[in-house]
Amino acid sequence: MSRLLLPALLLPVLATALLGHWLAPHDPTAPLGVPWQGPAPGHPLGTDALGRDVWSRVLAGGGGLLAVSVTAAVCASAVGVVGGLAAGWAGGVVDRALTAAADLMLAVPTLLLALVAAVALPGRAAIVVATVCGGAPLTLRVVRDAVRSVRASGYVEAALCRGEHSASVLAREVLPAVRGLVAADLGLRLVVALQIASALGVLGFGASPPAPDWALMLRENMAGAAMNPWAVAAPAAALGATTVVLALSVQFASRRGGTRPRRPDPARRKETASG
């Protein structure tokens, strides 16, 4: 994938999510016509179960879904990265304990965690908790293996020999070496978070009516799909297109990711040589 193609795919998705509410030709929460009316002048995709404009709701329905998905993905990635750094750097008992905890959490299906969280917590909090519990252990294991590989590299050993503190070495040497891997993993967490948010929304644990939300639109309009199929097809297509774009972004990031040695600072090389 070229460098120009990725922004060309991402920008429309981000623009729709951020500006869709203002681009909507009608109030996405106001009834304007007969329920489940087909496409007509002023309503290119017809109306939904309450007579609201489907096109306006599709334009405004991605912002909240992407916002909670991004929040959940960042939380999951942050927890996993911190755990992976600790396990890969410390080794020994810390490594075994964190890895065992991650394996234990991975033994529980993510959807089951999501359903339990949805029953006990509000919808958005449930999405974050389910994404963290299901995604952070995977991030931990990926980062842990990468850190162990970088830990044995020459430039890290040289930094330790100079007497640098472990926290400084992690921040200045290890993290830059695995940043591409972390970015790719963050994208994957975002895709999973969007899937969890969509699933909980369709099951009734997501956004509350009358908020415009793609998953909520699917739930509300299933009964009238025969009268106005666009009321279901449009939000489904929006969800599918967003997921595909995010997956392609993850693929692009993973190709550019991995563990890459950080180029030594020339000043540090001179300091090492003189020492």
Side-chain angles (χ1 to χ4, degrees):
M1 184 185 302
S2 67
R3 294 183 179 181
L4 295 178
L5 181 58
L6 183 60
L9 292 172
L10 278 177
L11 287 179
V13 173
L14 295 178
T16 302
L18 295 175
L19 306 175
H21 193 84
W22 289 272
L23 296 175
H26 303 287
D27 183 352
T29 64
L32 301 173
V34 178
W36 289 317
Q37 181 182 2
H43 306 292
L45 298 180
T47 59
D48 69 352
L50 297 179
R52 298 167 296 193
D53 182 50
V54 172
W55 175 238
S56 298
R57 289 182 65 79
V58 168
L59 288 176
L65 202 60
L66 283 178
V68 68
S69 299
V70 169
T71 302
V74 170
C75 292
S77 183
V79 172
V81 167
V82 172
L85 287 173
W89 185 262
V93 177
V94 175
D95 183 16
R96 290 193 294 272
L98 290 175
T99 304
D103 291 341
L104 183 62
M105 294 181 67
L106 288 174
V108 182
T110 303
L111 185 56
L112 178 59
L113 287 172
L115 292 175
V116 172
V119 172
L121 300 169
R124 294 183 181 273
I127 294 169
V128 174
V129 170
T131 304
V132 171
C133 292
L138 294 172
T139 302
L140 184 149
R141 294 194 65 88
V142 170
V143 174
R144 173 249 188 191
D145 292 340
V147 170
R148 290 187 65 183
S149 175
V150 175
R151 176 72 170 79
S153 59
Y155 63 93
V156 172
E157 295 293 340
L160 293 174
C161 290
R162 288 194 298 267
E164 295 188 22
H165 194 271
S166 295
S168 175
V169 176
L170 283 170
R172 301 175 64 177
E173 306 290 353
V174 177
L175 273 177
V178 300
R179 63 180 181 273
L181 182 66
V182 171
D185 184 80
L186 175 60
L188 186 58
R189 299 299 139 236
L190 178 56
V191 172
V192 174
L194 182 60
Q195 293 174 342
I196 292 174
S198 302
L200 291 182
V202 172
L203 292 174
F205 297 107
S208 301
D213 181 272
W214 292 336
L216 179 61
M217 290 178 68
L218 291 174
R219 176 179 174 83
E220 291 177 333
N221 296 296
M222 285 291 185
M227 290 179 282
N228 182 19
W230 289 108
V232 175
L239 274 172
T242 302
T243 304
V244 168
V245 169
L246 292 176
L248 290 175
S249 303
V250 172
Q251 184 180 14
F252 178 78
S254 63
R255 289 180 180 178
R256 295 174 59 85
T259 55
R260 298 182 180 180
R262 181 175 179 271
R263 293 184 178 180
D265 189 353
R268 290 175 141 199
R269 280 204 305 258
K270 292 180 180 179
E271 180 184 347
T272 303
S274 61

